[in-house]
Amino acid sequence: MENVRSVGEVNLAAMDAQMEKFCLNCDFRDTPDCREAACLTGFARKVLKFAASRGILDIPGAAKLLPDQDFKPYYPEMIAAGLAETCRQCRECRDNHSPDCVISLVRRSLENMILTENIDYPGSVFAYLAAVKEKNPDLAAMLAKQLKSR
Amino acid sequence: MGQGIFKQKNGLYAVDVAAACGVLTPEQLTGLARLAAENNAFRVKMTTRQTMVVLLPPENTAAFKEALETLKLRVAPFGNVVRPVKACAGNTALCPRSLDDALELGIEIQERYLGRPVPKDFKIAVAGCPRGCTDPHCADFGVIAAGQGRFHVAVGGMGGGTRPRHGEIVARDIPRDKVFALLEYVLERFCALAEPREKLGRAIERLGLAAFRPPAEMTAAEAAPAADEEFIRFLQD
């Protein structure tokens, strides 16, 4: 596998570009029913915007605010592409992984679109792929394909 | 109190220069470079305690030391004293991963406590997040920012020696002002209970952590807000 991590600063815009695709395909886009705080995509994009505007990578307590009532259908291929971008941006903090890390918040938003429970992030991309495979082999295959595609 | 000036094998003297937790202004850095050159320094070496060692001919050490004061730098105290504080670049302007102003806290601790006599050298490390780039668990007194104005404190760590040990957490989620109260308390207990030249960690092993554990009111946790309030407002906008 290629080196899936980006070099240098975390590229928040690259993750947002993946999340924006969900908005472009959403029936609620530009309607009064678009409620970002209650939407997994909206939440992730707000996290990324907030982090970019403040120049931070951790938002204390934000993990507790993840929407849990967003049951919209999402395309697995787009989720895999989004997860692949979080893998590329992950700094692999391992034991020092923080659930309030903005990358983690985006990843959990994406997981919640398709998985019935979150993966306890092991702090490394390789171990994460193995964990995804256990929960959802099809998603893991798509994710691996996305990571290999660059 | 001893000073960090040591004769080397080659006859040069190593002068240990302390700044504000390793932070220098460009003026201080260029001034130090000028002083080093004027005094025929052989090399300058960064240290693990965020100080800088300047290697000088013996006849130049006094002039160098005196001129340091014009740069608002100083020779680090040495021996059985509170040593220069290590702090990470965690504050509102620098490290994006930091959860609080660790650098400012470290600098303030250093200003208040550097050089204070103790039974054995006392090292302090302040980290802006649990990643702990300054190794707070390997310090006699380690402070770890937990976010939203709260800090964890570990005591009795020592990263060096033949039997290194990790510090033990004695307080979680305490506010900034209590970090100072707790440090004061630990230093008092250390001076009262440790044998001469006994590290805090060894004294804890000998007497038990209870002898050094601060009273409950000093370690009472500050309740964390549910989440970053600024983010909540941003999210709901």
Side-chain angles (χ1 to χ4, degrees):
Chain A
M1 186 185 295
E2 290 177 46
N3 180 3
V4 294
R5 282 175 295 153
S6 64
V7 177
E9 290 302 309
V10 171
N11 189 344
L12 301 175
M15 286 188 283
D16 190 56
Q18 292 298 330
M19 300 311 298
E20 187 184 19
K21 292 176 186 172
F22 292 103
C23 288
L24 296 174
N25 285 281
C26 181
D27 293 340
F28 297 138
R29 185 182 172 213
D30 296 332
T31 72
D33 291 327
C34 174
R35 290 186 299 119
E36 290 167 303
C39 166
L40 290 163
T41 304
F43 175 82
R45 297 194 72 191
K46 280 276 192 178
V47 161
L48 292 166
K49 277 182 202 155
F50 186 77
S53 67
R54 302 294 188 281
I56 56 175
L57 290 175
D58 277 282
I59 305 174
K64 293 176 192 154
L65 302 173
L66 269 156
D68 56 4
Q69 295 294 314
D70 178 0
F71 301 118
K72 294 192 292 293
Y74 289 94
Y75 292 115
E77 293 82 3
M78 287 169 62
I79 294 169
L83 284 173
E85 196 54 55
T86 64
C87 290
R88 290 188 190 98
Q89 301 305 328
C90 175
R91 299 298 189 84
E92 303 202 279
C93 296
R94 296 182 187 274
D95 291 347
N96 292 324
H97 168 69
S98 158
D100 292 323
C101 164
V102 294
I103 302 167
S104 177
L105 293 167
V106 174
R107 180 178 49 246
R108 286 188 62 187
S109 299
L110 289 159
E111 287 173 359
N112 287 359
M113 293 174 181
I114 193 166
L115 300 176
T116 50
E117 57 185 28
N118 282 128
I119 292 169
D120 190 12
Y121 192 67
S124 92
V125 172
F126 185 78
Y128 178 68
L129 281 172
V132 173
K133 193 173 179 183
E134 262 186 34
K135 301 260 184 201
N136 187 327
D138 293 339
L139 180 66
M142 281 185 266
L143 177 53
K145 188 178 170 187
Q146 286 285 341
L147 288 169
K148 284 178 187 168
S149 69
R150 279 203 200 167
Chain B
M1 174 172 67
Q3 287 198 310
I5 301 177
F6 315 98
K7 189 174 182 182
Q8 303 296 293
K9 288 178 186 172
N10 61 5
L12 294 175
Y13 276 72
V15 180
D16 192 15
V17 179
C21 295
V23 177
L24 288 93
T25 64
E27 292 75 22
Q28 284 176 313
L29 188 59
T30 51
L32 187 64
R34 178 178 47 76
L35 275 186
E38 284 172 2
N39 288 285
N40 299 319
F42 170 61
R43 293 287 188 274
V44 180
K45 188 183 186 306
M46 310 294 179
T47 75
T48 54
R49 291 221 65 77
Q50 301 182 336
T51 62
M52 284 189 289
V53 161
V54 184
L55 291 161
L56 295 165
E59 63 273 18
N60 293 75
T61 55
F64 178 83
K65 184 185 151 193
E66 193 178 330
L68 274 183
E69 290 171 19
T70 63
L71 298 172
K72 294 184 179 167
L73 298 171
R74 59 176 292 182
V75 176
F78 189 74
N80 296 327
V81 296
V82 174
R83 301 289 187 84
V85 175
K86 283 206 301 189
C88 70
N91 69 8
T92 51
L94 300 174
C95 178
R97 290 191 178 278
S98 70
L99 300 175
D100 221 308
D101 281 348
L103 183 57
E104 281 72 11
L105 176 58
I107 290 171
E108 190 174 340
I109 291 173
Q110 177 164 299
E111 283 171 355
R112 286 202 208 179
Y113 290 94
L114 180 64
R116 179 160 158 173
V118 281
K120 181 70 177 161
D121 65 276
F122 191 89
K123 290 166 179 155
I124 300 170
V126 184
C129 75
R131 294 173 186 86
C133 294
T134 48
D135 300 328
H137 291 282
C138 295
D140 295 286
F141 190 88
V143 184
I144 304 138
Q148 297 161 312
R150 297 167 303 124
F151 298 87
H152 306 325
V153 173
V155 300
M158 45 194 289
T162 53
R163 286 189 296 130
R165 74 192 298 271
H166 276 162
E168 295 165 69
I169 297 281
V170 293
R172 287 189 185 276
D173 297 323
I174 60 171
R176 190 181 194 274
D177 60 324
K178 281 191 180 169
V179 172
F180 288 94
L182 208 150
L183 175 55
E184 191 66 45
Y185 180 87
V186 170
L187 285 171
E188 280 174 18
R189 299 301 288 168
F190 183 34
C191 291
L193 299 174
E195 292 175 350
R197 295 179 299 284
E198 183 179 42
K199 284 289 286 181
L200 175 61
R202 297 287 173 250
I204 288 172
E205 286 171 1
R206 182 171 58 84
L207 299 167
L209 183 62
F212 297 87
R213 193 181 285 283
E217 63 271 19
M218 206 175 275
T219 59
E222 179 144 286
D228 185 310
E229 287 173 12
E230 202 182 351
F231 176 67
I232 293 173
R233 284 195 297 276
F234 182 82
L235 184 63
Q236 290 166 348
D237 267 353

